[in-house]
Structure formats: structure tokens, C-alpha cells
Amino acid sequence: MQHPAYRGRFAPSPTGPLHFGSLVAAVGSFVDARARGGEWLLRMEDLDPPREVPGAADDILRTLEEFGLHWDGEVVYQSRRQEAYRAALDQLEQSGLVYPCGCSRKEIQSSARVTETGGVYPGTCRNGLAPGRRPRAVRIRVSEVGMRFIDRLRGGIEEWLPQQVGDFVVKRADGLFAYQLAVVVDDATHGITDIVRGADLLDSTCRQIYLQQCLQFSTPRYLHLPLAANRRGEKLSKQTHAAAVNPAHATTLLREALAFLNQELPDQPDAATPEELLNWAVAHWNEDVIPRQQAIRLP
């Protein structure tokens, strides 16, 4: 099947209802895709059952539809794609790129070197498990190479994985496949060409590109949007008690999301339908004026 030149996606996690921060990411990715004549797919990242809220996935889908954010094709659920992730891990194992790790989280925290992006795994199990240790997680060997990509908004981004991240987990100690592996496999499987998402995932991008190269996948284009933060400067999330968006105020909230991205707004009143407002946004989309900050505090 031939895909269009642009294929984008929105990939929420069902850990709670859609809040304003996730609405900004949805609107940004949707409008960018439509402005470029592309498809906009939807993937539910229900990969971590302990963190999921029952009914949240269906609630997110209903909310997106009520906001006029209609996706192409069927919704992809990561919980149904375990075989694809297992096949990718098998490929990495056959290439000698992964190894079992027996370290506990406490041991890693006590011995890891801390950087701006978190703790750097010290490579304790890289050359084999110590006698009496049982395997827990599976890690990928990071080669001595710097990773670089061009973010459409922020320009060149560089990261030296060995010094800034270390060998990272691709299968967790609880048996679940890691987000980094799953997202790379899904984006490749569904032909994603452009990823527009929040800046909180900027630090994950070089790891994902490294996995793409190890699995011989193509690398999408990236655009990382500023995060919506509360008055304390915290990213809006379930943990910071972000309020759910109310579809009854869809046009008002869509205007606020577009204003957050510094986009031109129509003079029409808020009584316009969400679809009409989004059509305006598509016709006037300008990525060059999106703020380049990591986060923007809401009033």
C-alpha cells in the first residue's frame, strides 16, 4: 500500500482524560498534517497497565471527535502489538545488540552518573551477569557515536548517548516492552514520516533514532512543541492534577491552543464549529512562529 508523502500521528497514553497540554499536542500534530495534505493517525499507547485508568482510552477518543480532531484509519492499540515488539527484540538479540541486566533500580540509582537527562547506566552487566545474579531487564548496547537530528522548530539537536544516557532498557524488569522500543516499531510499521509532539519527549528522540538505525528503519522528521505548564512551572499532567478539557467549550479551547502555538486566529466568534476553526487553522498554519521555549506557563 502506497502512503502519502506526509503521515503524522497523535499517540496519547490512557492514564487520564485529555487535558490542555495534550490538546495542544493533538491540535499541533493534526493541523500540521492537514496543512501538508497528509494523513493523521491515532495510536493509543496503552503499554503500561499499572498506570492506565479504566475507560480513559474511550474518553480520549470521544473528546477528540467532539473537538473536530478526526483521525484517518483505525486506532492502533499498543497492547495488541506485543508480537511486533517481540520480533524487533529478537532481531536485536540476533544482531548481538542487547543483553540481560540484573541490576535493581536502587542499585542503578546508587551507581549511575547523573546528567541533565537523568542517570547514566554504568554498564554493570554489559559483559555478562555477575555470578548468582538473575536477569531482569534487557538493555541495548549503545555504541560510541554521537546522535544528531534536525528538529523542524529547534534546529540541530545533538546527544552523545554513551556519556548522556548509557545502555538503555528495551524490555523492562516487569516483562513489559519499553516505550522507546514500542514507539519506534509502531512508527516504522505504520509509515510515519513526521512526528509532532511535546518537548518533554525531546530527550527520547536520539534514543529512538539509534533504535531506528539498529533495526534498519527510516527516521521521521521531528517537531517538538512547547509544553503547557502550570503556574509553578510544572508540565500539565495527571500527576500535577491537570483539569480535563470540556468539549462543551471546544471552540474556545481550540482558539486557546492555537494562540498558545502563536497561530493567527480568525475574527469569527467562538460560536464557529470546531471543524470550521480547524479548517481556518489548517489554511493559516505557520510553524515558523511557534514559540521555541521548552515550556510556557499558563496564566
Side-chain angles (χ1 to χ4, degrees), residues 196-224:
V196 179
R197 61 187 183 184
D200 53 327
L201 292 167
L202 190 61
D203 291 339
S204 292
T205 306
C206 285
R207 277 175 279 178
Q208 291 170 11
I209 293 174
Y210 183 76
L211 278 171
Q212 291 160 4
Q213 293 177 356
C214 290
L215 292 164
Q216 299 181 328
F217 295 155
S218 61
T219 293
R221 294 178 289 266
Y222 290 93
L223 192 163
H224 288 86

PDB file of all heavy atoms in Angstrom, residues 196-224:
ATOM      1  N   VAL A 196       5.039  15.189  15.342  1.00  0.00           N
ATOM      2  CA  VAL A 196       4.844  16.464  16.010  1.00  0.00           C
ATOM      3  C   VAL A 196       4.335  16.143  17.403  1.00  0.00           C
ATOM      4  O   VAL A 196       3.250  15.580  17.561  1.00  0.00           O
ATOM      5  CB  VAL A 196       3.839  17.348  15.243  1.00  0.00           C
ATOM      6  CG1 VAL A 196       3.629  18.670  15.969  1.00  0.00           C
ATOM      7  CG2 VAL A 196       4.333  17.603  13.812  1.00  0.00           C
ATOM      8  N   ARG A 197       5.098  16.489  18.429  1.00  0.00           N
ATOM      9  CA  ARG A 197       4.768  16.098  19.801  1.00  0.00           C
ATOM     10  C   ARG A 197       5.367  17.095  20.778  1.00  0.00           C
ATOM     11  O   ARG A 197       6.068  18.027  20.384  1.00  0.00           O
ATOM     12  CB  ARG A 197       5.282  14.691  20.081  1.00  0.00           C
ATOM     13  CG  ARG A 197       6.795  14.531  19.957  1.00  0.00           C
ATOM     14  CD  ARG A 197       7.213  13.079  20.070  1.00  0.00           C
ATOM     15  NE  ARG A 197       8.675  12.925  20.014  1.00  0.00           N
ATOM     16  CZ  ARG A 197       9.296  11.746  20.013  1.00  0.00           C
ATOM     17  NH1 ARG A 197       8.605  10.612  20.070  1.00  0.00           N
ATOM     18  NH2 ARG A 197      10.618  11.686  19.970  1.00  0.00           N
ATOM     19  N   GLY A 198       5.110  16.876  22.068  1.00  0.00           N
ATOM     20  CA  GLY A 198       5.579  17.786  23.089  1.00  0.00           C
ATOM     21  C   GLY A 198       7.073  17.720  23.331  1.00  0.00           C
ATOM     22  O   GLY A 198       7.726  16.688  23.100  1.00  0.00           O
ATOM     23  N   ALA A 199       7.620  18.827  23.836  1.00  0.00           N
ATOM     24  CA  ALA A 199       9.060  18.922  24.070  1.00  0.00           C
ATOM     25  C   ALA A 199       9.535  18.029  25.206  1.00  0.00           C
ATOM     26  O   ALA A 199      10.740  17.833  25.380  1.00  0.00           O
ATOM     27  CB  ALA A 199       9.444  20.369  24.369  1.00  0.00           C
ATOM     28  N   ASP A 200       8.608  17.452  25.985  1.00  0.00           N
ATOM     29  CA  ASP A 200       9.031  16.524  27.034  1.00  0.00           C
ATOM     30  C   ASP A 200       9.645  15.260  26.439  1.00  0.00           C
ATOM     31  O   ASP A 200      10.371  14.538  27.130  1.00  0.00           O
ATOM     32  CB  ASP A 200       7.859  16.151  27.938  1.00  0.00           C
ATOM     33  CG  ASP A 200       6.653  15.628  27.166  1.00  0.00           C
ATOM     34  OD1 ASP A 200       6.412  16.078  26.027  1.00  0.00           O
ATOM     35  OD2 ASP A 200       5.936  14.773  27.714  1.00  0.00           O
ATOM     36  N   LEU A 201       9.383  14.995  25.159  1.00  0.00           N
ATOM     37  CA  LEU A 201       9.926  13.804  24.501  1.00  0.00           C
ATOM     38  C   LEU A 201      11.165  14.115  23.666  1.00  0.00           C
ATOM     39  O   LEU A 201      11.698  13.233  22.997  1.00  0.00           O
ATOM     40  CB  LEU A 201       8.855  13.146  23.628  1.00  0.00           C
ATOM     41  CG  LEU A 201       7.710  12.523  24.442  1.00  0.00           C
ATOM     42  CD1 LEU A 201       6.542  12.169  23.547  1.00  0.00           C
ATOM     43  CD2 LEU A 201       8.198  11.303  25.201  1.00  0.00           C
ATOM     44  N   LEU A 202      11.643  15.352  23.749  1.00  0.00           N
ATOM     45  CA  LEU A 202      12.841  15.721  23.001  1.00  0.00           C
ATOM     46  C   LEU A 202      14.037  14.866  23.425  1.00  0.00           C
ATOM     47  O   LEU A 202      14.835  14.428  22.591  1.00  0.00           O
ATOM     48  CB  LEU A 202      13.137  17.203  23.225  1.00  0.00           C
ATOM     49  CG  LEU A 202      14.204  17.856  22.351  1.00  0.00           C
ATOM     50  CD1 LEU A 202      13.825  17.797  20.879  1.00  0.00           C
ATOM     51  CD2 LEU A 202      14.393  19.313  22.781  1.00  0.00           C
ATOM     52  N   ASP A 203      14.146  14.591  24.731  1.00  0.00           N
ATOM     53  CA  ASP A 203      15.266  13.806  25.239  1.00  0.00           C
ATOM     54  C   ASP A 203      15.209  12.341  24.791  1.00  0.00           C
ATOM     55  O   ASP A 203      16.220  11.637  24.880  1.00  0.00           O
ATOM     56  CB  ASP A 203      15.313  13.865  26.772  1.00  0.00           C
ATOM     57  CG  ASP A 203      15.703  15.240  27.282  1.00  0.00           C
ATOM     58  OD1 ASP A 203      16.308  16.004  26.512  1.00  0.00           O
ATOM     59  OD2 ASP A 203      15.378  15.560  28.440  1.00  0.00           O
ATOM     60  N   SER A 204      14.047  11.881  24.375  1.00  0.00           N
ATOM     61  CA  SER A 204      13.915  10.495  23.926  1.00  0.00           C
ATOM     62  C   SER A 204      14.289  10.315  22.460  1.00  0.00           C
ATOM     63  O   SER A 204      14.510   9.188  22.009  1.00  0.00           O
ATOM     64  CB  SER A 204      12.468  10.010  24.123  1.00  0.00           C
ATOM     65  OG  SER A 204      12.141   9.896  25.482  1.00  0.00           O
ATOM     66  N   THR A 205      14.358  11.406  21.720  1.00  0.00           N
ATOM     67  CA  THR A 205      14.456  11.302  20.268  1.00  0.00           C
ATOM     68  C   THR A 205      15.745  10.632  19.807  1.00  0.00           C
ATOM     69  O   THR A 205      15.726   9.776  18.910  1.00  0.00           O
ATOM     70  CB  THR A 205      14.306  12.685  19.625  1.00  0.00           C
ATOM     71  OG1 THR A 205      13.080  13.279  20.094  1.00  0.00           O
ATOM     72  CG2 THR A 205      14.239  12.578  18.112  1.00  0.00           C
ATOM     73  N   CYS A 206      16.888  10.978  20.392  1.00  0.00           N
ATOM     74  CA  CYS A 206      18.150  10.368  19.948  1.00  0.00           C
ATOM     75  C   CYS A 206      18.172   8.871  20.243  1.00  0.00           C
ATOM     76  O   CYS A 206      18.711   8.085  19.460  1.00  0.00           O
ATOM     77  CB  CYS A 206      19.336  11.076  20.587  1.00  0.00           C
ATOM     78  SG  CYS A 206      19.687  12.695  19.841  1.00  0.00           S
ATOM     79  N   ARG A 207      17.590   8.456  21.367  1.00  0.00           N
ATOM     80  CA  ARG A 207      17.488   7.021  21.651  1.00  0.00           C
ATOM     81  C   ARG A 207      16.625   6.327  20.603  1.00  0.00           C
ATOM     82  O   ARG A 207      16.952   5.228  20.142  1.00  0.00           O
ATOM     83  CB  ARG A 207      16.905   6.808  23.046  1.00  0.00           C
ATOM     84  CG  ARG A 207      17.910   6.898  24.172  1.00  0.00           C
ATOM     85  CD  ARG A 207      17.257   6.810  25.529  1.00  0.00           C
ATOM     86  NE  ARG A 207      16.690   8.088  25.945  1.00  0.00           N
ATOM     87  CZ  ARG A 207      16.029   8.292  27.066  1.00  0.00           C
ATOM     88  NH1 ARG A 207      15.809   7.279  27.876  1.00  0.00           N
ATOM     89  NH2 ARG A 207      15.575   9.479  27.378  1.00  0.00           N
ATOM     90  N   GLN A 208      15.543   6.986  20.216  1.00  0.00           N
ATOM     91  CA  GLN A 208      14.665   6.382  19.222  1.00  0.00           C
ATOM     92  C   GLN A 208      15.330   6.313  17.851  1.00  0.00           C
ATOM     93  O   GLN A 208      15.189   5.320  17.135  1.00  0.00           O
ATOM     94  CB  GLN A 208      13.351   7.166  19.175  1.00  0.00           C
ATOM     95  CG  GLN A 208      12.537   6.982  20.454  1.00  0.00           C
ATOM     96  CD  GLN A 208      11.361   7.916  20.577  1.00  0.00           C
ATOM     97  OE1 GLN A 208      10.985   8.595  19.618  1.00  0.00           O
ATOM     98  NE2 GLN A 208      10.763   7.987  21.757  1.00  0.00           N
ATOM     99  N   ILE A 209      16.076   7.338  17.499  1.00  0.00           N
ATOM    100  CA  ILE A 209      16.797   7.313  16.224  1.00  0.00           C
ATOM    101  C   ILE A 209      17.859   6.216  16.241  1.00  0.00           C
ATOM    102  O   ILE A 209      18.075   5.518  15.242  1.00  0.00           O
ATOM    103  CB  ILE A 209      17.421   8.685  15.926  1.00  0.00           C
ATOM    104  CG1 ILE A 209      16.310   9.720  15.681  1.00  0.00           C
ATOM    105  CG2 ILE A 209      18.353   8.622  14.720  1.00  0.00           C
ATOM    106  CD1 ILE A 209      16.807  11.141  15.512  1.00  0.00           C
ATOM    107  N   TYR A 210      18.517   6.028  17.387  1.00  0.00           N
ATOM    108  CA  TYR A 210      19.506   4.957  17.499  1.00  0.00           C
ATOM    109  C   TYR A 210      18.847   3.599  17.267  1.00  0.00           C
ATOM    110  O   TYR A 210      19.375   2.750  16.529  1.00  0.00           O
ATOM    111  CB  TYR A 210      20.170   5.008  18.875  1.00  0.00           C
ATOM    112  CG  TYR A 210      21.260   3.976  19.061  1.00  0.00           C
ATOM    113  CD1 TYR A 210      22.510   4.145  18.468  1.00  0.00           C
ATOM    114  CD2 TYR A 210      21.044   2.823  19.813  1.00  0.00           C
ATOM    115  CE1 TYR A 210      23.517   3.193  18.626  1.00  0.00           C
ATOM    116  CE2 TYR A 210      22.032   1.872  19.971  1.00  0.00           C
ATOM    117  CZ  TYR A 210      23.271   2.062  19.375  1.00  0.00           C
ATOM    118  OH  TYR A 210      24.249   1.110  19.524  1.00  0.00           O
ATOM    119  N   LEU A 211      17.695   3.378  17.869  1.00  0.00           N
ATOM    120  CA  LEU A 211      16.968   2.122  17.656  1.00  0.00           C
ATOM    121  C   LEU A 211      16.528   1.987  16.201  1.00  0.00           C
ATOM    122  O   LEU A 211      16.583   0.878  15.633  1.00  0.00           O
ATOM    123  CB  LEU A 211      15.754   2.056  18.574  1.00  0.00           C
ATOM    124  CG  LEU A 211      16.012   1.609  20.016  1.00  0.00           C
ATOM    125  CD1 LEU A 211      14.760   1.793  20.863  1.00  0.00           C
ATOM    126  CD2 LEU A 211      16.450   0.138  20.053  1.00  0.00           C
ATOM    127  N   GLN A 212      16.083   3.085  15.607  1.00  0.00           N
ATOM    128  CA  GLN A 212      15.705   3.035  14.188  1.00  0.00           C
ATOM    129  C   GLN A 212      16.878   2.552  13.334  1.00  0.00           C
ATOM    130  O   GLN A 212      16.708   1.713  12.432  1.00  0.00           O
ATOM    131  CB  GLN A 212      15.244   4.417  13.722  1.00  0.00           C
ATOM    132  CG  GLN A 212      13.919   4.867  14.312  1.00  0.00           C
ATOM    133  CD  GLN A 212      13.725   6.364  14.231  1.00  0.00           C
ATOM    134  OE1 GLN A 212      14.547   7.091  13.657  1.00  0.00           O
ATOM    135  NE2 GLN A 212      12.646   6.860  14.820  1.00  0.00           N
ATOM    136  N   GLN A 213      18.054   3.057  13.626  1.00  0.00           N
ATOM    137  CA  GLN A 213      19.229   2.658  12.858  1.00  0.00           C
ATOM    138  C   GLN A 213      19.585   1.193  13.109  1.00  0.00           C
ATOM    139  O   GLN A 213      19.931   0.462  12.170  1.00  0.00           O
ATOM    140  CB  GLN A 213      20.397   3.568  13.211  1.00  0.00           C
ATOM    141  CG  GLN A 213      20.189   5.009  12.763  1.00  0.00           C
ATOM    142  CD  GLN A 213      21.310   5.936  13.182  1.00  0.00           C
ATOM    143  OE1 GLN A 213      22.241   5.537  13.893  1.00  0.00           O
ATOM    144  NE2 GLN A 213      21.243   7.190  12.756  1.00  0.00           N
ATOM    145  N   CYS A 214      19.481   0.757  14.364  1.00  0.00           N
ATOM    146  CA  CYS A 214      19.788  -0.641  14.686  1.00  0.00           C
ATOM    147  C   CYS A 214      18.822  -1.605  14.006  1.00  0.00           C
ATOM    148  O   CYS A 214      19.203  -2.728  13.628  1.00  0.00           O
ATOM    149  CB  CYS A 214      19.744  -0.857  16.204  1.00  0.00           C
ATOM    150  SG  CYS A 214      21.086  -0.061  17.109  1.00  0.00           S
ATOM    151  N   LEU A 215      17.563  -1.182  13.849  1.00  0.00           N
ATOM    152  CA  LEU A 215      16.535  -2.024  13.239  1.00  0.00           C
ATOM    153  C   LEU A 215      16.384  -1.752  11.747  1.00  0.00           C
ATOM    154  O   LEU A 215      15.498  -2.326  11.095  1.00  0.00           O
ATOM    155  CB  LEU A 215      15.198  -1.807  13.947  1.00  0.00           C
ATOM    156  CG  LEU A 215      15.136  -2.320  15.392  1.00  0.00           C
ATOM    157  CD1 LEU A 215      13.943  -1.729  16.126  1.00  0.00           C
ATOM    158  CD2 LEU A 215      15.080  -3.848  15.410  1.00  0.00           C
ATOM    159  N   GLN A 216      17.226  -0.860  11.219  1.00  0.00           N
ATOM    160  CA  GLN A 216      17.216  -0.511   9.799  1.00  0.00           C
ATOM    161  C   GLN A 216      15.881   0.094   9.361  1.00  0.00           C
ATOM    162  O   GLN A 216      15.357  -0.212   8.293  1.00  0.00           O
ATOM    163  CB  GLN A 216      17.584  -1.730   8.944  1.00  0.00           C
ATOM    164  CG  GLN A 216      18.969  -2.276   9.240  1.00  0.00           C
ATOM    165  CD  GLN A 216      19.352  -3.465   8.384  1.00  0.00           C
ATOM    166  OE1 GLN A 216      18.505  -4.260   8.003  1.00  0.00           O
ATOM    167  NE2 GLN A 216      20.635  -3.580   8.059  1.00  0.00           N
ATOM    168  N   PHE A 217      15.347   0.955  10.210  1.00  0.00           N
ATOM    169  CA  PHE A 217      14.132   1.709   9.895  1.00  0.00           C
ATOM    170  C   PHE A 217      14.533   3.103   9.418  1.00  0.00           C
ATOM    171  O   PHE A 217      15.592   3.614   9.772  1.00  0.00           O
ATOM    172  CB  PHE A 217      13.234   1.863  11.130  1.00  0.00           C
ATOM    173  CG  PHE A 217      12.662   0.571  11.655  1.00  0.00           C
ATOM    174  CD1 PHE A 217      12.292   0.471  12.994  1.00  0.00           C
ATOM    175  CD2 PHE A 217      12.476  -0.539  10.845  1.00  0.00           C
ATOM    176  CE1 PHE A 217      11.743  -0.694  13.504  1.00  0.00           C
ATOM    177  CE2 PHE A 217      11.939  -1.720  11.338  1.00  0.00           C
ATOM    178  CZ  PHE A 217      11.573  -1.803  12.680  1.00  0.00           C
ATOM    179  N   SER A 218      13.657   3.728   8.651  1.00  0.00           N
ATOM    180  CA  SER A 218      13.888   5.122   8.271  1.00  0.00           C
ATOM    181  C   SER A 218      13.568   6.030   9.457  1.00  0.00           C
ATOM    182  O   SER A 218      12.815   5.654  10.356  1.00  0.00           O
ATOM    183  CB  SER A 218      13.024   5.501   7.067  1.00  0.00           C
ATOM    184  OG  SER A 218      11.650   5.355   7.382  1.00  0.00           O
ATOM    185  N   THR A 219      14.126   7.225   9.445  1.00  0.00           N
ATOM    186  CA  THR A 219      13.921   8.180  10.532  1.00  0.00           C
ATOM    187  C   THR A 219      12.930   9.255  10.102  1.00  0.00           C
ATOM    188  O   THR A 219      13.134   9.897   9.070  1.00  0.00           O
ATOM    189  CB  THR A 219      15.256   8.834  10.933  1.00  0.00           C
ATOM    190  OG1 THR A 219      16.104   7.844  11.504  1.00  0.00           O
ATOM    191  CG2 THR A 219      15.040   9.953  11.946  1.00  0.00           C
ATOM    192  N   PRO A 220      11.863   9.461  10.863  1.00  0.00           N
ATOM    193  CA  PRO A 220      10.893  10.514  10.523  1.00  0.00           C
ATOM    194  C   PRO A 220      11.483  11.901  10.761  1.00  0.00           C
ATOM    195  O   PRO A 220      12.534  12.061  11.368  1.00  0.00           O
ATOM    196  CB  PRO A 220       9.732  10.253  11.501  1.00  0.00           C
ATOM    197  CG  PRO A 220       9.983   8.901  12.082  1.00  0.00           C
ATOM    198  CD  PRO A 220      11.462   8.706  12.057  1.00  0.00           C
ATOM    199  N   ARG A 221      10.760  12.908  10.293  1.00  0.00           N
ATOM    200  CA  ARG A 221      11.063  14.289  10.651  1.00  0.00           C
ATOM    201  C   ARG A 221      10.410  14.577  12.000  1.00  0.00           C
ATOM    202  O   ARG A 221       9.356  14.016  12.314  1.00  0.00           O
ATOM    203  CB  ARG A 221      10.537  15.251   9.577  1.00  0.00           C
ATOM    204  CG  ARG A 221      11.239  15.120   8.226  1.00  0.00           C
ATOM    205  CD  ARG A 221      10.641  16.073   7.192  1.00  0.00           C
ATOM    206  NE  ARG A 221       9.298  15.648   6.791  1.00  0.00           N
ATOM    207  CZ  ARG A 221       9.033  14.883   5.726  1.00  0.00           C
ATOM    208  NH1 ARG A 221      10.024  14.444   4.968  1.00  0.00           N
ATOM    209  NH2 ARG A 221       7.786  14.560   5.413  1.00  0.00           N
ATOM    210  N   TYR A 222      11.005  15.478  12.773  1.00  0.00           N
ATOM    211  CA  TYR A 222      10.503  15.767  14.117  1.00  0.00           C
ATOM    212  C   TYR A 222      10.237  17.256  14.295  1.00  0.00           C
ATOM    213  O   TYR A 222      10.949  18.112  13.750  1.00  0.00           O
ATOM    214  CB  TYR A 222      11.517  15.327  15.177  1.00  0.00           C
ATOM    215  CG  TYR A 222      11.662  13.831  15.312  1.00  0.00           C
ATOM    216  CD1 TYR A 222      12.639  13.145  14.594  1.00  0.00           C
ATOM    217  CD2 TYR A 222      10.826  13.098  16.150  1.00  0.00           C
ATOM    218  CE1 TYR A 222      12.777  11.768  14.706  1.00  0.00           C
ATOM    219  CE2 TYR A 222      10.958  11.721  16.268  1.00  0.00           C
ATOM    220  CZ  TYR A 222      11.931  11.057  15.539  1.00  0.00           C
ATOM    221  OH  TYR A 222      12.068   9.694  15.644  1.00  0.00           O
ATOM    222  N   LEU A 223       9.195  17.545  15.081  1.00  0.00           N
ATOM    223  CA  LEU A 223       8.896  18.909  15.509  1.00  0.00           C
ATOM    224  C   LEU A 223       8.380  18.806  16.937  1.00  0.00           C
ATOM    225  O   LEU A 223       7.343  18.185  17.189  1.00  0.00           O
ATOM    226  CB  LEU A 223       7.849  19.550  14.593  1.00  0.00           C
ATOM    227  CG  LEU A 223       7.623  21.070  14.718  1.00  0.00           C
ATOM    228  CD1 LEU A 223       6.888  21.598  13.484  1.00  0.00           C
ATOM    229  CD2 LEU A 223       6.842  21.453  15.968  1.00  0.00           C
ATOM    230  N   HIS A 224       9.107  19.399  17.873  1.00  0.00           N
ATOM    231  CA  HIS A 224       8.734  19.312  19.285  1.00  0.00           C
ATOM    232  C   HIS A 224       8.132  20.637  19.754  1.00  0.00           C
ATOM    233  O   HIS A 224       8.791  21.677  19.765  1.00  0.00           O
ATOM    234  CB  HIS A 224       9.942  18.929  20.137  1.00  0.00           C
ATOM    235  CG  HIS A 224      10.347  17.504  19.962  1.00  0.00           C
ATOM    236  ND1 HIS A 224      11.201  17.084  18.962  1.00  0.00           N
ATOM    237  CD2 HIS A 224       9.979  16.384  20.643  1.00  0.00           C
ATOM    238  CE1 HIS A 224      11.360  15.771  19.043  1.00  0.00           C
ATOM    239  NE2 HIS A 224      10.631  15.323  20.054  1.00  0.00           N
TER     240      HIS A 224
END
